[in-house]
Amino acid sequence: MDRGTTTGRGRVVAVAATIGAVLVLLASTLLVAGSAAAAPAPTPVRTCEKFGSFPLGGGVYVAANNVWGADTLQCISNSGARGDSGFVVDPAEHVNTTGPAGYPSIYRGCVYGYCTGGSPFPRRVDQLGTVTSSWSTSGPTDPASTYNTAYDLWFDPNANQPGRNTGAELMVWLNTTGVQPIGTKGPTVTIAGASWDVWQGTLDGLPVISYVRTVGTTSVSNLPLHSFVADATARGVVQPAWYLTSVQAGFEPWTGGAGLRTISYSVTHKGR
């Protein structure tokens, strides 16, 4: 099912004030715990706001609820483990049939003017070097759910873009329950030892290129995201002088989606 222009993943909004408040709370908890013989486990963080978010991994990452395509209830929470880089979607009461209800995700980089701690992004494409990611996921508790699991990389001519990106969007789909990306299916390429169908289209005038793994998987280790960027650049979708502003990883639930989980996630630039 082609989503056409119904999607709106670019509406991820990280509220810096909210994230800052959570970081202060976590820092206070760590200080108090440090003076105790046995530190209590931190309180799990949860948001049900459409565009709510919270930090993970000490602020290196941000988890975003991002319910941009529906008004049905969706919440995300961390596992409560200190230094965790995972989240779970629960509940997710979506009934969409023509497009994703949202994009619950984790990201590193700069989104709508907010940058995660110590971010290596934005980074010029022609100076990118290696960008690798490991990501472990698990499926929803409801087998009738429809969704896809995908990276979302954003590009912009401006390194300090305060709003929606204006360059291009690149997605890497690890698996799908049958839903399809924006645009038209083109050639199949081999990247990182796997085959990927290349889809190209536009979103509100923004070029979108998606790489859909022909054999789905729930996890990857040291996936060379820079190889997808290089392929998209060779196809003219991404320009060498543009900046990679953020690397996001999450799910696009259409119907259901409760129980979708990122078990662990990391993304590094030149190993850092």
Side-chain angles (χ1 to χ4, degrees), residues 54-236:
F54 52 79
L56 288 173
V60 173
Y61 304 105
V62 166
N65 201 27
N66 197 21
V67 188
W68 57 263
D71 292 319
T72 38
L73 179 64
Q74 175 183 291
C75 302
I76 60 171
S77 62
N78 71 350
S79 67
R82 186 172 294 127
D84 187 38
S85 61
F87 69 91
V88 62
V89 181
D90 189 27
E93 301 175 354
H94 307 309
V95 291
N96 280 21
T97 58
T98 58
Y103 183 57
S105 55
I106 182 173
Y107 73 84
R108 189 179 189 190
C110 298
V111 176
Y112 277 80
Y114 177 82
C115 297
T116 54
S119 171
F121 313 112
R123 184 74 56 172
R124 268 182 66 124
V125 170
D126 57 4
Q127 301 171 6
L128 190 57
T130 59
V131 177
T132 58
S133 177
S134 296
W135 186 19
S136 177
T137 71
S138 60
T141 53
D142 180 3
S145 297
T146 57
Y147 67 97
N148 59 276
T149 302
Y151 287 93
D152 211 354
L153 283 65
W154 291 89
F155 300 86
D156 199 276
N158 179 6
N160 301 302
Q161 175 57 256
R164 181 178 182 268
N165 288 78
T166 61
E169 177 185 11
L170 186 161
M171 299 195 77
V172 180
W173 287 36
L174 299 189
N175 62 45
T176 173
T177 57
V179 297
Q180 296 177 353
I182 291 171
T184 304
K185 180 181 174 182
T188 299
V189 298
T190 300
I191 297 177
S195 296
W196 310 79
D197 291 332
V198 182
W199 292 69
Q200 287 187 242
T202 58
L203 168 64
D204 298 331
L206 190 76
V208 181
I209 185 168
S210 302
Y211 296 83
V212 181
R213 204 174 194 274
T214 57
V215 178
T217 185
T218 58
S219 65
V220 289
S221 179
N222 296 316
L223 184 69
L225 296 176
H226 56 274
S227 296
F228 296 94
V229 177
D231 187 85
T233 303
R235 296 177 191 280

